Amino acid sequence: MLRRTMDINPFKYCSGLRYLGYLMIFMVLGIIALSYWAVIVLVWGPKLIHGGAPAVLAAFIVLLFHVLLILLTWSYFMVVFRDPGSIPQNWAPVLDVNLEEGTSSSSLATPWPASNGSERRSTVGYCSRCQNPRPPRCHHCSVCQKCVLKMDHHCVWVVNCVGARNYKFFLLFLIYTFLETTLDTFALLPKVIALFGEARKHSASPGNLAVMVLAFVLNLAFALSLLCFVIMHATLLWSNTTTIEVYEKKRDKKETASRWKYDLGWRKNVEEVFGTKKALWFLPMFTKDDLDNVPSLQGTHFPVRDDSES
């Protein structure tokens, strides 16, 4: 009876949240379509045909709108469709070898390269749901029903986990969406104010007024909320920390008191997420060289700082 009770896994029902995520995808596409109609079709697109200074400003806004739109949708679908990182098939930790005694133990520990090139031992965990050992910084997602390498969180907006292989794309999606919604807010503000003046005179189209006000409110709300997320994840990136690890460090007072072991300095921390090719930092892609050689992108081992660092 006890064994049967232990076999019950209530977390499997969390996978139903994925269906909510599919609705979120359509919501994102709907907000993009609404913003496009309001900013380009109704407000700034028609100004292009009038010439003069307004046409120059309109051309700049239209061009910037489309560039940001391409980058954010590209980043978004990369987060949606890119595997955040799964434990390789038949992956197993390296046995901890006692060099002095010449014996090996079966403890779940493995040497990882440190930031100074030396080896360090980092404890490997074990997933009771997958019944497999898991690398450092790896966590089980109850929605995806699998262990995710360097898991940050599960995001219903992208119907996917954010982990080692797609965290860069998630950050770029946040940044470009914040910039796009901020641009839309300022681009629509003068027209919304003017439309309210026309509404008092009953000369404004009710349909256009509704579309512009709704687009303005949604973009303003998203811009303000995304600003908080951009600042939060920029702080995490700066210290090479995931959202889950923030809560783990709060529970571990010793870790909170000392410097985070994965903090290699801001430049190395950024390269661990965005890759070493600076020309591609703002594009949702990686070079094959980065995927093969940047440890954090592989997700099974991570450089740690040197204890001798002050």
Side-chain angles (χ1 to χ4, degrees):
M1 181 66 180
L2 178 61
R3 180 179 179 83
R4 185 176 301 174
T5 304
M6 294 177 63
D7 290 339
I8 297 176
N9 179 17
F11 294 99
K12 67 181 181 180
Y13 300 108
C14 295
S15 60
L17 292 175
R18 292 180 65 86
Y19 297 104
L20 176 62
Y22 296 128
L23 295 177
M24 293 299 187
I25 292 180
F26 287 107
M27 185 180 295
V28 170
L29 296 178
I31 294 173
I32 291 175
L34 178 69
S35 301
Y36 192 94
W37 184 265
V39 176
I40 303 300
V41 177
L42 295 181
V43 180
W44 292 100
K47 293 181 182 294
L48 292 173
I49 62 177
H50 296 306
V56 176
L57 178 59
F60 172 76
I61 291 177
V62 169
L63 177 62
L64 183 59
F65 179 95
H66 283 90
V67 170
L68 292 175
L69 179 61
I70 291 172
L71 290 172
L72 82 85
T73 52
W74 183 8
S75 302
Y76 179 70
F77 286 112
M78 287 295 287
V79 183
V80 172
F81 294 112
R82 176 60 66 90
D83 183 0
S86 302
I87 301 177
Q89 189 175 9
N90 299 324
W91 181 86
V94 178
L95 294 180
D96 186 12
V97 180
N98 189 325
L99 297 179
E100 294 181 359
E101 299 179 2
T103 60
S104 62
S105 65
S106 59
S107 60
L108 293 177
T110 179
W112 306 120
S115 57
N116 64 347
S118 63
E119 288 187 343
R120 295 171 175 241
R121 281 173 169 75
S122 177
T123 303
V124 175
Y126 182 82
C127 180
S128 59
R129 300 173 199 168
C130 295
Q131 300 295 310
N132 285 316
R134 61 187 181 192
R137 314 183 80 179
C138 178
H139 294 82
H140 185 90
C141 176
S142 299
V143 179
C144 296
Q145 294 292 308
K146 67 177 182 179
C147 286
V148 177
L149 299 177
K150 196 189 173 187
M151 180 178 175
D152 187 88
H153 68 288
H154 182 90
C155 181
V156 295
W157 287 95
V158 300
V159 206
N160 201 1
C161 276
V162 178
R165 297 294 181 92
N166 64 353
Y167 185 51
K168 172 187 177 179
F169 310 143
F170 176 76
L171 291 180
L172 291 179
F173 169 63
L174 287 183
I175 293 171
Y176 291 133
T177 304
F178 167 70
L179 295 176
E180 181 72 276
T181 52
T182 302
L183 172 67
D184 294 350
T185 300
F186 284 105
L188 291 172
L189 180 60
K191 189 63 177 179
V192 169
I193 295 174
L195 279 175
F196 274 111
E198 296 175 6
R200 293 193 187 98
K201 302 176 184 178
H202 303 285
S203 59
S205 168
N208 290 344
L209 177 62
V211 169
M212 294 219 217
V213 170
L214 180 59
F216 174 78
V217 171
L218 286 175
N219 279 279
L220 176 61
F222 273 98
L224 293 176
S225 60
L226 284 170
L227 176 60
C228 300
F229 280 104
V230 169
I231 293 175
M232 181 188 78
H233 280 282
T235 304
L236 296 178
L237 173 68
W238 205 259
S239 60
N240 199 355
T241 310
T242 66
T243 302
I244 293 178
E245 288 168 344
V246 170
Y247 295 99
E248 291 179 341
K249 287 195 288 184
K250 287 181 179 178
R251 294 198 305 264
D252 189 345
K253 295 181 179 179
K254 293 182 180 180
E255 191 63 62
T256 303
S258 61
R259 184 181 171 188
W260 181 231
K261 62 183 177 181
Y262 297 116
D263 186 358
L264 310 177
W266 73 267
R267 189 181 299 275
K268 287 286 187 181
N269 293 342
V270 172
E271 289 180 352
E272 285 289 294
V273 173
F274 284 84
T276 58
K277 307 299 180 182
K278 296 179 177 59
L280 298 181
W281 275 8
F282 297 101
L283 294 177
M285 61 171 60
F286 290 112
T287 64
K288 186 178 184 303
D289 184 59
D290 280 341
L291 289 175
D292 292 339
N293 298 316
V294 176
S296 184
L297 297 179
Q298 297 173 8
T300 55
H301 62 284
F302 300 90
V304 294
R305 64 182 179 83
D306 189 355
D307 287 334
S308 63
E309 293 179 1
S310 58

